[in-house]
Amino acid sequence: MQDLETPSINNYDGGSSSQFPGGNEIYGGSSNFPIGPNQYPENESAQNPLGGPTGGFNTEYRNIALNKNQFKIIDATFQRFNEPVGVNFIKESFDAVYQSQVLDFLDVADFFHPLQEFSNYQKQTIIINPATSFNLDPGSFTDTNGEISMLVAKAEYLPDASDDDKVLFWDYLGSQRNIMGGFMVLTGAIKKGYNWKGWDIDPFSTYNHADIPNSANGGFIFTNPTSMTVRLTIITAN
Amino acid sequence: MATRPVTCPYDTPEGFRFYRDNLVLDDGMGTPKKYLPMNDFLINVDSFSKSRVSLDPGRSFLLSQSDIGDNLGYVSFIAIKAKFPDTIVESKKYLTWVYKGQTMNMGELMVLSGAKQYSTDSTYEGWNLSKPNDYINNGGMIFTNPHADFQIKLEILIGR
């Protein structure tokens, strides 16, 4: 309705504004469809929308998928925009993921490190302070002469650590410095006695560990080169 | 009346494996004990590659991914799974790999990570998979099957 107190204001509420002074009548309006689908109901062909008046256009059909799974998901809502892009561990595999899509994976479900009658295992959790080192405990892997066949290490960094701060050095046999980010798995042959096809973590040269440890004899040394503390969990087994 | 047959549990050795987002110690009896949670594992990578290699007896393979690595050839994630024939005993399930001149061993799995670091002696520390050449022979990893009687299959996932 038009505002009767202020006739110059039009109120487009669906009513006919031409009945009131000051209203503006809109000419040319029509209640008909611009393209009438059913202008001739008595004509059977006219009931087909394609049979009535129409604008000119061409329709092309292109086969974009053979089944439902082949349709590419379009993420139009950005709800997964902040999901990670990288390598995740999902169930029993390392997955290269792009937001919600798994692009490829390395399945480790069949990985199995059996414990034999001579086997031992050890789990260590260490807080490594900035710019300090930690010597991996050699444990009691005496049946394999200090040699292990599995080492799994996981480093947990502080939340505000940048990617450059997520690093540890590990020295093996005192001869080479390697790096580790968040995770590492080293394995070797499983055998009683020693065959040196695994990893020697014993830095001592005597059985009773009476001498001074020397990394050249064996052992792992983990070093935190950053300015932030790191929690390191290591599982070893022979 | 028939009696229910007596069934013996099959002999499953105790061991470590990955199971439902965890590294567990599975003894084959009930729910395995969790030793290391893996559900928070995430390594940011910009690109990746997946490849499969079969190593014939006595043969070697150079792992070099110059196109995946950064401008110097460094990558931040390497995961390699070795598949040995089912009949091979545990003591023979190994191969060797050489990196920067040091020979190391590998069983069924190896995972390495870490972005390259600039060290104090003006060099970089990290996993360099650039192709070695006559002048700078410090890139790439050489995997060797030391056995004379069976083939080893490798699955390799690399990220930078």
Side-chain angles (χ1 to χ4, degrees):
Chain A
M1 296 291 291
Q2 188 182 38
D3 190 338
L4 298 178
E5 296 180 357
T6 313
S8 61
I9 297 176
N10 293 325
N11 185 5
Y12 296 99
D13 59 355
S16 173
S17 61
S18 62
Q19 297 176 5
F20 297 91
N24 297 322
E25 185 173 359
I26 302 174
Y27 296 97
S30 171
S31 62
N32 294 328
F33 290 106
I35 299 175
N38 195 17
Q39 292 184 0
Y40 310 100
E42 68 280 1
N43 186 345
E44 185 177 348
S45 63
Q47 295 183 13
N48 182 353
L50 296 178
T54 178
F57 63 88
N58 296 321
T59 303
E60 279 191 16
Y61 294 96
R62 182 173 300 169
N63 198 358
I64 61 172
L66 295 177
N67 54 54
K68 184 179 178 181
N69 294 332
Q70 292 181 352
F71 280 110
K72 186 173 179 61
I73 299 174
I74 300 173
D75 193 359
T77 62
F78 295 98
Q79 64 176 350
R80 297 190 176 98
F81 185 77
N82 291 321
E83 288 190 1
V85 179
V87 178
N88 269 4
F89 190 87
I90 303 174
K91 298 296 184 183
E92 293 94 16
S93 64
F94 293 96
D95 294 16
V97 299
Y98 178 77
Q99 295 178 356
S100 63
Q101 300 179 54
V102 176
L103 303 179
D104 214 328
F105 62 90
L106 180 70
D107 186 10
V108 292
D110 51 356
F111 168 75
F112 186 68
H113 183 281
L115 296 179
Q116 315 286 353
E117 78 280 357
F118 59 85
S119 293
N120 291 298
Y121 60 92
Q122 185 176 16
K123 179 179 179 180
Q124 306 173 56
T125 301
I126 314 104
I127 302 293
I128 307 180
N129 289 323
T132 59
S133 295
F134 160 75
N135 290 282
L136 178 65
D137 189 284
S140 58
F141 302 104
T142 54
D143 283 341
T144 51
N145 229 18
E147 187 179 18
I148 61 169
S149 47
M150 186 189 82
L151 184 148
V152 179
K154 180 184 178 186
E156 294 172 78
Y157 300 93
L158 293 174
D160 53 343
S162 65
D163 285 345
D164 289 338
D165 289 330
K166 295 179 179 178
V167 66
L168 292 174
F169 291 137
W170 57 276
D171 295 75
Y172 177 63
L173 289 177
S175 60
Q176 181 178 314
R177 168 157 291 181
N178 298 300
I179 69 167
M180 170 189 160
F183 189 66
M184 179 170 72
V185 177
L186 302 172
T187 58
I190 303 170
K191 185 179 182 297
K192 191 174 184 180
Y194 57 89
N195 59 358
W196 309 128
K197 302 304 178 189
W199 298 82
D200 182 12
I201 64 167
D202 190 353
F204 299 96
S205 60
T206 58
Y207 286 110
N208 58 2
H209 294 179
D211 59 335
I212 299 173
N214 183 356
S215 62
N217 294 327
F220 281 78
I221 302 172
F222 289 90
T223 302
N224 177 7
T226 70
S227 58
M228 311 174 89
T229 57
V230 180
R231 185 166 76 172
L232 182 65
T233 304
I234 303 174
I235 299 172
T236 49
N238 66 351
Chain B
M1 180 177 175
T3 57
R4 186 173 181 178
V6 177
T7 58
C8 299
Y10 58 91
D11 186 16
T12 304
E14 188 180 21
F16 287 98
R17 68 187 180 98
F18 293 101
Y19 178 69
R20 292 188 178 179
D21 294 334
N22 287 279
L23 179 71
V24 300
L25 180 59
D26 190 359
D27 58 1
M29 306 291 287
T31 304
K33 187 176 181 182
K34 299 175 183 177
Y35 265 73
L36 197 66
M38 295 289 294
N39 53 357
D40 56 350
F41 178 90
L42 170 64
I43 292 180
N44 295 316
V45 299
D46 295 326
S47 58
F48 77 97
S49 75
K50 170 79 180 292
S51 54
R52 289 181 173 86
V53 177
S54 64
L55 268 176
D56 287 336
R59 302 301 294 268
S60 295
F61 157 70
L62 170 65
L63 176 61
S64 176
Q65 294 277 335
S66 303
D67 296 335
I68 297 300
D70 61 11
N71 56 339
L72 296 176
Y74 285 86
V75 300
S76 57
F77 179 76
I78 302 172
I80 302 176
K81 184 178 77 169
K83 181 71 174 174
F84 298 89
D86 294 335
T87 56
I88 299 302
V89 296
E90 296 293 335
S91 60
K92 297 186 73 175
K93 289 183 178 177
Y94 72 93
L95 65 152
T96 63
W97 58 286
V98 179
Y99 181 65
K100 289 187 175 178
Q102 188 174 24
T103 302
M104 291 169 278
N105 300 302
M106 175 188 158
E108 291 186 327
L109 182 65
M110 181 171 75
V111 179
L112 304 171
S113 63
K116 78 171 188 286
Q117 299 290 310
Y118 189 71
S119 64
T120 54
D121 55 354
S122 300
T123 60
Y124 287 97
E125 308 281 358
W127 303 111
N128 185 355
L129 293 187
S130 64
K131 186 167 289 187
N133 55 54
D134 293 338
Y135 306 102
I136 306 175
N137 189 23
N138 62 351
M141 293 179 178
I142 300 173
F143 291 84
T144 301
N145 178 359
H147 307 284
D149 50 349
F150 59 86
Q151 187 187 63
I152 303 173
K153 291 184 170 64
L154 301 179
E155 272 189 68
I156 304 168
L157 181 64
I158 294 173
R160 185 256 300 172

